[in-house]
Amino acid sequence: MAEKDTPSKNEMKAQTRQRMVGIFESKGMIVESHSAGAVNYLSISVPDSDQNCGAIYGSRGKAASLWMKEPAWLALRDVLTDEQKDSIKVEDVDLFRRGFQWAVHFESPDDSHLELAVNACMTAGVERWENKKLRVAKESAAKERRIAKEAEMADKRRSPFQ
């Protein structure tokens, strides 16, 4: 009996997920397995961050999907060719309340927009994490200045009983 050359549907799904995981991990991203009820997914995050920049889910009728935030989708949309725009399946998933706004679906691990989507998701995630670290540092510095100013003002205040 001759072996079949084309992978089964489940093999295609596994290969597509593994390709995305491989790209994310090769670029230093953290991939963790989770479940939300009966739904298993892989979360993607920047090292040392407390935020997910993407998630790999299954896909009805396709091999897999990458859920991403709005800035990642906008960056991806800008680099897609007209041919890719005609063939890509993108779904609004904001109503699922999982922190992502868009799901980009893939036919196979060789999908022409897979690596572009992974890169857009990763780049937007890194940028978002860097912005948060900057914001936290600014807030911390402002708090320190406020505490120092309050201490300075306390030293200047007169006591009504002296």
Side-chain angles (χ1 to χ4, degrees):
M1 182 150 92
E3 287 187 36
K4 57 182 181 177
D5 291 334
T6 58
S8 72
K9 182 178 174 182
N10 286 339
E11 290 170 334
M12 186 67 71
K13 288 176 180 282
Q15 289 172 4
T16 304
R17 281 192 189 114
Q18 194 53 46
R19 173 131 189 265
M20 282 190 279
V21 167
I23 296 169
F24 277 119
E25 288 180 336
S26 73
K27 297 188 181 209
M29 303 297 278
I30 307 299
V31 180
E32 296 178 318
S33 181
H34 296 281
S35 66
V39 178
N40 295 324
Y41 67 97
L42 300 168
S43 67
I44 313 299
S45 60
V46 177
D48 301 322
S49 81
D50 59 355
Q51 303 172 343
N52 288 331
C53 64
I56 300 170
Y57 282 88
S59 174
R60 286 189 177 153
K62 304 280 184 183
S65 64
L66 177 59
W67 290 31
M68 59 181 59
K69 297 186 180 290
E70 186 83 19
W73 164 244
L74 295 176
L76 174 60
R77 185 180 66 183
D78 289 345
V79 298
L80 292 173
T81 65
D82 288 338
E83 182 180 314
Q84 289 169 325
K85 288 177 184 177
D86 289 341
S87 66
I88 194 170
K89 177 182 175 187
V90 181
E91 181 181 12
D92 179 356
V93 293
D94 195 30
L95 296 175
F96 288 103
R97 309 300 259 166
R98 295 207 177 149
F100 302 103
Q101 291 76 44
W102 299 101
V104 179
H105 297 265
F106 307 101
E107 298 275 349
S108 73
D110 302 321
D111 213 316
S112 68
H113 60 278
L114 188 141
E115 195 159 348
L116 294 172
V118 167
N119 287 335
C121 186
M122 183 192 65
T123 301
V126 168
E127 184 176 314
R128 185 169 178 255
W129 179 239
E130 292 300 322
N131 287 339
K132 180 178 181 184
K133 289 192 306 187
L134 271 172
R135 187 176 62 251
V136 167
K138 286 179 182 177
E139 289 169 358
S140 178
K143 183 178 180 180
E144 288 177 17
R145 285 191 305 272
R146 198 169 35 254
I147 290 170
K149 185 66 173 177
E150 287 172 1
E152 179 186 328
M153 294 305 289
D155 287 344
K156 291 181 180 180
R157 284 197 183 93
R158 297 178 294 151
S159 171
F161 300 105
Q162 287 183 354

